[in-house]
Every structure is written in structure tokens, then in C-alpha cells.
Amino acid sequence: MEKLELFEAKTAAMSQDKQDEQITGSEALLRGLLQEGVECVFGYPGGNVLYIYDAMVGNPEFRHLLTRHEQGAIHAADGYARSTGKVGVCIATSGPGATNLVTGIATAYMDSVPLVVITGNVPTTVMGTDAFQEADIVSITMPITKHSYLVRDVRELPRIIREAFYIAGTGRKGPVLIDIPKDVSNQRMLAESPPEVSIRGYRAPEEQPFDRAPVDELIQAIGQSERPLIIAGGGVVHADASEELITFVNKTNIPVVTTLLGLGGFPSAHSWWTGMAGMHGTYASNKAIQNADLLISIGSRFDDRVTMRLDGFAPRAERIAHIDVDPAEIGKNVKTDIACVGDIKAVLSYANTIAKPASSAEWFAKIQADKMNHPLRYNDSETELKPQYVLEMIHEMTRGEAIVTTDVGQHQMWTGQFYKFNHPRSLITSGGLGTMGFGFPSAIGAQLGNPERLVISINGDGGMQMCAQELAVCAIHQIPVKIVVINNQVLGMVRQQQEIIHENRLSHVDLAGSPDFVKLAQAYGVKGLRASNKEEARQAWQEALDTPGPVLVEFVVPKEENVFPMIVAGTTLDDMIMGDSQ
């Protein structure tokens, strides 16, 4: 805020002395970002954003972090946004710079993460001629952005910046693209304050009243239910509605299962929490879904990894209710009987004024018995280091208070199972798209957004290699992320599915040629440690926690270890393979 106040003071002085000051589009862009309260932009320069980068010179109020790959930049912006609730910002040049952002844009779009993505483009005079490093990034990203702008008139830029942040950060949040041709970034314009946002056809749901009648109907249905259940998804976190959900559960006595992205949105320590649901969810959670007579989805989109085979999903549910900010999600995958469309925080705040306890004591006792009789289990070992033990140890030694980012694969599911999240925005992971390479750079963004918090990046040996070059960023800036590599020398989740579904016909999953991760970290100037048994694991992890700055810890684990429970695609939530707990 000090930087923003300094900037506003300078702007006020400027407006008094120079009513007709001329600035470039690049200068207007940086001023607009500062006016939106942007703390850091993650990016990578190139020819068609040179005017923008030139405007950063001598501008101490503007903070930019140079990553080592555009994908690292957008994942870092994503991690910043998820962990802070603010809009993340990244920048790249035209052509390959812009297309290197596509995976990150899709990752944010699938998980409703607010980003403003700024790309350069070739000058307007050569657009459409296949000029050097030209790519129609607006068309390329049309299906995976909430909105897009191609800036052809520099005078439109202040309005566009303000609109982009408004669109990205309201309603169902998502990425907004601003594509700026090189000549536009150097055009001159009068310095002026951007207008108030007024977008025809778009009004943030937070600013609109919602229909209370379906909420009244839901409360009535709860009173008639004997086996009610809440599925809490990532929408609870995005809406900052965790406290309202806790109050709702305490008033209604309804058990809660969470999706992967919903972890932390309802505290794992709460007695009414049953665990994660879906393909690798707990026995108690999946059985609760299958036996509930009233199912209430709050900010969950009934993803296929949660529902599994739709015609076998929640067969005993007499009514299904859905609370969501996006009306397009209502009834999209699962038939909805009670549709509550609106901002989740506002809907739950109203529901809490009329909520009453459900008659769920017997139902809750059954779920508690399932939790006790069918807990998460694994075959521990005194000679080998099991990955589940590593996650339990990390949780224990951090007391569940860290911000944890993950990559995608077995380690992601073990994190969801064995690290207990009690606060919202403390799990940062790619849910909908399942993007390998996301975990480590997203931790950099989360750490910059939360400098006083412990940030842990948990990765597999496959995903770690996809953005390992960002180790340089941690070393140069001493960003104190604690980097975990669960090394089983194999593409673990693919191997597991080939073993179980394809009769152990293993095809191209061997990662035995991976680098020595300790030496790789040291080559970048980051401290590296390794552990292959329990004693080494505890010593190494404690050393990592005690060391200022970034540390990479490689945990060597067996390649044959599987994630259980597991449900095979095409089967139902009743068809859990319990594995070691069978």
C-alpha cells in the first residue's frame, strides 16, 4: 500500500502541474497496474514488449520478477492469486512468448483463478502478414479466457485495464487477456484517470441480489432430511466463504466432504468433516455421498473425478441442491432439484439467519463409524521411506500451518489425503487441468504474496523437471520456498493406472534417467538434501525448516507404491479399491 500511496501522491501532484501531460501506452499500462494495487508482475521480456520493459526502468514503485520461462511466470501469478485472493498478473512477448502462456491460462480458467495476462503483439501495421513472432493469441485463447482485449487505440488502455481487473476478480473468477501491439505500447496519450467500470451485459454477481426462495426451500429440505451431506468445493475458497460455511454446518449439523480444491475451505480438524471425496477420496466420504438422501453442493461443479460414473452417483439422494455463482454449472452434470444461484458468501450468510439443526445424529454416527473402521492406511516400513509417511511427517512438523503447493500425480493425492488443511488458500494445486510443472513456480508466487508464511512445494520427480529452471529465481532472490521432491523414478500415477487397468503393461513411464536433484539444486545455488529412510527424512526436513532461504529436499521412495483408495474410471463411488486397507 505504501507504493500505491506514493504513486497516487505523485499522480496528484502531476495532475496539478501538468494537466496535459503526454505519456506512452507503456507508461499508461504500468500506472494502471499500480492503480489496481498490483504488488508484483511475473514476466519474461521479448521484442514486442520492449517499450513496456523500457518504461519499468527508473520506476521503483513497479515490481517485476523475471522468471526463466513464460510458463513459470504464469504459474507464479496463479499461485499468487490463489494464495492471496488478489488478481495475479503476468506478461510475455508475442508469438512463442504468448503461446508459452497457454497451458497456464487454461490451468487458471479450469480452476476459476483471477489473472490478468498481458501479451505483446507485432505492430498493427503488419498484423495478419505472418510477421516475425506473430501469433493470434486472442483467437488461440478464446475458449480458455473469461474475456479478451486486443488494444488498437492507446486511449482505450486505461479503461481496458480497469475492466480487465473487474472481470477477472468478480463473479466466477478467471483469466482475462490484454494483447497490446508494439506500436500501441509506444503511442502517446494524455495522462488521465480511468473511468468507472460500466460494462454492458456484465454485472458482478456480488453486486446483485439473489433469489432467496430456493434458499428457503433448501432449509426446509434440510428439516425433512435424515441423511443430509454437503460437498464443499473450490468455490467456497474463491468466495472467501469459509467462515460462513463453518457457521452453516454448526447450525445445521450436516457432515461435509470436500473436493480436492475445496480442501481447507472447511477445516480438516472439524468433527463434521469426513475427508476428500472422489477417485482417491476416503471410504467414509464416498459412502456418505452414495447413502445421502439430501446432497448439497456448495461451490463444487460435480467434476467427473468426484462423481465417477454419473448414472451411479448418489443413487439414494431424493433431492440434490446446488449453490453456485455460475448459473451455467447448475444441472450441467447432475440433475439439480434446488438451484441457489448467487455469491456463495452472500447465500450462506442469508441461510445462516434461518438455518436449523437437521435430524442427523444417527447418520453422523454411521459416518463416524466408517471413518474409524476404514481410515486411510498404508503398509509402513522401517527399511524403506514411504511417501505417505513423508506427507504425515511434513504435516506433523509444520502443524498443518503451511501453504502447500503441489504438482500433479500420486504425490498430489497423497498430499490431499495425509496433509490436513485447516485454513482456506493453504492448498495450491491444479485441479481441473491437472498441469504438470505447476507446483514449483506456483509456490514462488504464493511465497511473494505471503512473505511471512511458510510455503512448501511438493513435487514428483516428473513434474519437477518441467519447471526446474525456476530454481534460479529462488536462489537469486532468496525466496524461502521449501521444495520437496518425492522421487520414485517413475511417472507414478500413469504407472499405477497401467498396473491396475492395463494388467501391468508398463509403457514409457521409467524416469530412471532423471538428474541428481540435490546436485541440480546446488548448481542453481539452492541448498539440497536427500533422505531415503525415516531417520534421514526427519533430520533433513528439520534442517530445511531451520535454514533461511530456499531448500530442496529429495525423498527417495519405492516406485511400486500406489494411492489408495482408488476408483477406476467408468465405475461408481461404490467400487472403491482399498488396496493396503482391503
Side-chain angles (χ1 to χ4, degrees), residues 151-172:
V151 186
R152 292 184 176 273
D153 185 340
V154 70
R155 293 170 297 181
E156 297 293 305
L157 194 51
R159 172 187 61 82
I160 286 172
I161 294 168
R162 179 146 290 183
E163 287 183 1
F165 276 83
Y166 178 74
I167 293 170
T170 56
R172 181 171 184 170

Side-chain angles (χ1 to χ4, degrees), residues 77-113:
D78 186 312
Y80 172 91
R82 294 188 200 228
S83 64
T84 64
K86 303 174 184 177
V87 178
V89 183
C90 66
I91 184 170
T93 192
S94 64
T99 57
N100 278 344
L101 297 175
V102 170
T103 297
I105 295 172
T107 300
Y109 183 78
M110 287 286 281
D111 290 348
S112 304
V113 179

Side-chain angles (χ1 to χ4, degrees), residues 98 101-102 105 136-146 148 177:
L101 297 175
V102 170
I105 295 172
D136 184 358
I137 194 64
V138 170
S139 296
I140 290 170
T141 60
M142 192 71 72
I144 53 171
T145 50
K146 190 175 178 184
S148 299
L177 177 77

Side-chain angles (χ1 to χ4, degrees), residues 468-527:
Q469 69 279 349
E470 305 306 330
L471 283 164
V473 178
C474 284
I476 291 167
H477 300 282
Q478 280 299 289
I479 300 171
V481 174
K482 309 308 177 188
I483 307 152
V484 171
V485 179
I486 306 293
N487 188 357
N488 58 6
Q489 298 189 23
V490 71
L491 283 172
M493 191 61 84
V494 180
R495 183 208 57 75
Q496 176 171 337
Q497 295 196 25
Q498 288 178 349
E499 174 193 331
I500 294 173
I501 302 172
H502 298 278
E503 300 176 335
N504 206 33
R505 293 189 298 274
L506 303 184
S507 179
H508 300 285
V509 293
D510 187 0
L511 295 180
S514 298
D516 182 321
F517 288 101
V518 172
K519 290 182 178 179
L520 180 65
Q522 292 170 345
Y524 277 105
V526 172
K527 186 173 188 176

Side-chain angles (χ1 to χ4, degrees), residues 49 55 70 84 109 176-177 185 211 224 265 310 319 326 336 369 419 433 444 494 523 538 565 573:
V49 289
E70 292 89 354
T84 64
Y109 183 78
V176 176
L177 177 77
S185 70
D211 186 358
Q224 299 167 349
L310 280 173
R319 307 188 81 180
D326 186 358
T336 302
Y419 195 98
L433 198 64
I444 294 174
V494 180
R538 286 191 170 270
L573 291 178

Side-chain angles (χ1 to χ4, degrees), residues 7 23-38 41 52 62 87 89 115-118 147-149 151 153-169 176-180 189 192-197 199:
F7 168 78
I23 61 173
T24 66
S26 297
E27 291 168 331
L29 173 65
L30 302 194
R31 291 185 182 195
L33 295 178
L34 285 170
Q35 285 176 329
E36 294 297 332
V38 174
V41 172
I52 297 173
F62 190 85
V87 178
V89 183
L115 296 182
V116 169
V117 180
I118 301 163
H147 195 62
S148 299
Y149 294 94
V151 186
D153 185 340
V154 70
R155 293 170 297 181
E156 297 293 305
L157 194 51
R159 172 187 61 82
I160 286 172
I161 294 168
R162 179 146 290 183
E163 287 183 1
F165 276 83
Y166 178 74
I167 293 170
V176 176
L177 177 77
I178 304 176
D179 193 34
I180 307 174
M189 59 175 283
E192 56 185 26
S193 298
E196 292 299 316
V197 174
I199 305 172

